[in-house]
Amino acid sequence: MEPRADIPGNASAVPRLARLDGLRGIAACVVAGYHLQIFFYNGLSDFFGGVAGWFFRWGWTFVDLFFLISGYIFAHVYRGGADLRTARQFGDFAVARVARLYPLHLTMLLIVAVLDWGRPENTFPIFLCHLFMLQGIVPGADSGFVGPSWSISVEILCYFLFALAAGSGKRAVTWVSVALVALIVAKLALLGLPGGPWGADYLIGGVLGFFIGQLMWQHRAILARVPTIVLVLTLATGATINVGSYSPLLPLDLLAWPSALLLVLRIRTFEARPLLWLGDRSYGIYLVHYPVLNLFFAALGKSHASWMGVIALYATFSIVVLALANVALHLVERPGRRAVRAAWAKRYPVTALGGAVAPYQAADGNS
């Protein structure tokens, strides 16, 4: 769920991949919609069937699409423009990531802690895991407080692995990407469970998607020559193939989501202003929607599926979540980002250490 590929105000800025922002905004909405039906309905995928039923069944996998987008854009920014070689560059990179992710994460964590501390899953040790962004790495910590935030800590791990490899050169990133993708695909093929979602796959699924994105960017020229009809058929195959006893992450991460990303890069509609608006607020949508669901469920309880009931609930939920995500963007995300960066620049000014801050604060868009 990371970032935009633009570096405002810097001559070395790489072009923004705006269409992927639009895709990220849609993916955030799908994840939110999937969680709503988990809370309120039983068997909504069977109730609707068809394409709508597929989204209700497999909406959780759009988190893996987030990771793929992040890996592609990080390669676009750091392998296509800025480097990560010096201590200052690593420092700026780390601060940019903290500035982008932590203000809203901390805000939502504290709000949920105040509202829902009494829940059995919201214990002090779990709170500490969330506070230090370890909830997707420490077993059992992903279910407490803001549940979907597990992916943030997996993102942080991906950044760490990427930065370590990038510090050794662009060729090292390639070898690390190939090794991680091969190991995780082998693990899922041999030990992966069918269906899902499974907490045991959160970490490896995120790493797999991120580094597939790295490899896709590296081979983007070859992939750009793949006919559109082939991408459409590959997306359909990866999304619908029955893999039996194997993990569904294999066809989705290896076929469906890479094809979706490549298709979106060819479709101008994905940089339309409404989709970019969603993309700018995708991180807020992702973190805000789950606490809102808890409040809705406490007020309404379990529901029975009907056309009018589903539409009314989804419409109300969407309005509330989008409004709060917009507030979060303007009152938490952007001010928090500026404050963290200003504190870093004040403590370690460019004139004292040399180098430019902006390139290593790239990729500061939406998580």
Side-chain angles (χ1 to χ4, degrees), residues 113-136:
V114 170
L115 295 176
D116 291 330
W117 189 269
R119 291 176 176 267
E121 65 272 20
N122 291 344
T123 64
F124 185 68
I126 300 299
F127 176 83
L128 290 179
C129 288
H130 282 250
L131 185 65
F132 293 103
M133 303 183 83
L134 297 172
Q135 63 271 31

Side-chain angles (χ1 to χ4, degrees), residues 206-272:
V207 175
L208 175 64
F210 185 90
F211 285 97
I212 287 176
Q214 291 281 322
L215 294 174
M216 287 179 62
W217 181 87
Q218 181 176 342
H219 298 288
R220 63 197 181 282
I222 297 174
L223 294 172
R225 295 196 291 268
V226 177
T228 297
I229 185 61
V230 173
L231 295 178
V232 171
L233 292 174
T234 304
L235 170 59
T237 301
T240 59
I241 187 172
N242 184 352
V243 292
S245 60
Y246 293 95
S247 170
L249 293 180
L250 290 172
L252 288 166
D253 280 2
L254 296 177
L255 299 176
W257 297 145
S259 299
L261 186 150
L262 295 171
L263 284 169
V264 164
L265 288 174
R266 302 179 184 189
I267 302 174
R268 186 179 297 274
T269 303
F270 279 85
E271 55 184 309

Side-chain angles (χ1 to χ4, degrees), residues 250-304:
L250 290 172
L252 288 166
D253 280 2
L254 296 177
L255 299 176
W257 297 145
S259 299
L261 186 150
L262 295 171
L263 284 169
V264 164
L265 288 174
R266 302 179 184 189
I267 302 174
R268 186 179 297 274
T269 303
F270 279 85
E271 55 184 309
R273 299 188 81 174
L275 291 181
L276 293 183
W277 190 93
L278 280 180
D280 285 338
R281 290 150 185 82
S282 60
Y283 187 40
I285 293 168
Y286 187 74
L287 287 190
V288 164
H289 84 270
Y290 210 73
V292 171
L293 276 176
N294 278 312
L295 293 175
F296 269 47
F297 189 74
L300 301 176
K302 203 78 173 177
S303 301
H304 296 287

Side-chain angles (χ1 to χ4, degrees), residues 176-188 208 212 215:
V176 167
S177 300
V178 169
L180 287 172
V181 168
L183 286 172
I184 294 172
V185 167
K187 191 272 182 186
L188 289 172
L208 175 64
I212 287 176
L215 294 174

Side-chain angles (χ1 to χ4, degrees), residues 21-242:
D21 282 341
L23 178 61
R24 183 186 297 108
I26 292 174
C29 292
V30 171
V31 172
Y34 168 81
H35 284 147
L36 186 145
Q37 63 99 17
I38 291 296
F39 268 65
F40 284 94
Y41 301 106
N42 290 316
L44 201 56
S45 58
D46 296 330
F47 179 79
F48 279 93
V51 175
W54 186 93
F55 280 97
F56 286 124
R57 172 66 183 88
W58 297 104
W60 59 274
T61 66
F62 279 71
V63 177
D64 296 284
L65 177 57
F66 283 136
F67 287 111
L68 190 78
I69 295 171
S70 289
Y72 192 93
I73 294 180
F74 260 81
H76 176 71
V77 172
Y78 289 99
R79 299 175 71 180
D83 285 322
L84 288 173
R85 292 294 186 125
T86 68
R88 176 56 190 245
Q89 291 168 349
F90 276 108
D92 289 340
F93 174 83
V95 169
R97 308 291 21 98
V98 170
R100 181 63 191 93
L101 296 176
Y102 200 71
L104 185 58
H105 166 69
L106 179 61
T107 300
M108 295 309 302
L109 173 61
L110 294 177
I111 289 173
V112 173
V114 170
L115 295 176
D116 291 330
W117 189 269
R119 291 176 176 267
E121 65 272 20
N122 291 344
T123 64
F124 185 68
I126 300 299
F127 176 83
L128 290 179
C129 288
H130 282 250
L131 185 65
F132 293 103
M133 303 183 83
L134 297 172
Q135 63 271 31
I137 299 172
V138 176
D142 57 283
S143 60
F145 297 98
V146 186
S149 71
W150 65 264
S151 63
I152 301 173
S153 59
V154 177
E155 284 269 3
I156 294 293
L157 175 62
C158 290
Y159 303 157
F160 177 74
L161 294 172
F162 170 78
L164 284 181
S168 300
K170 295 177 180 179
R171 182 173 297 180
V173 178
T174 299
W175 284 110
V176 167
S177 300
V178 169
L180 287 172
V181 168
L183 286 172
I184 294 172
V185 167
K187 191 272 182 186
L188 289 172
L190 295 173
L191 302 173
L193 297 173
W198 308 112
D201 291 337
Y202 286 168
L203 175 59
I204 62 173
V207 175
L208 175 64
F210 185 90
F211 285 97
I212 287 176
Q214 291 281 322
L215 294 174
M216 287 179 62
W217 181 87
Q218 181 176 342
H219 298 288
R220 63 197 181 282
I222 297 174
L223 294 172
R225 295 196 291 268
V226 177
T228 297
I229 185 61
V230 173
L231 295 178
V232 171
L233 292 174
T234 304
L235 170 59
T237 301
T240 59
I241 187 172
N242 184 352

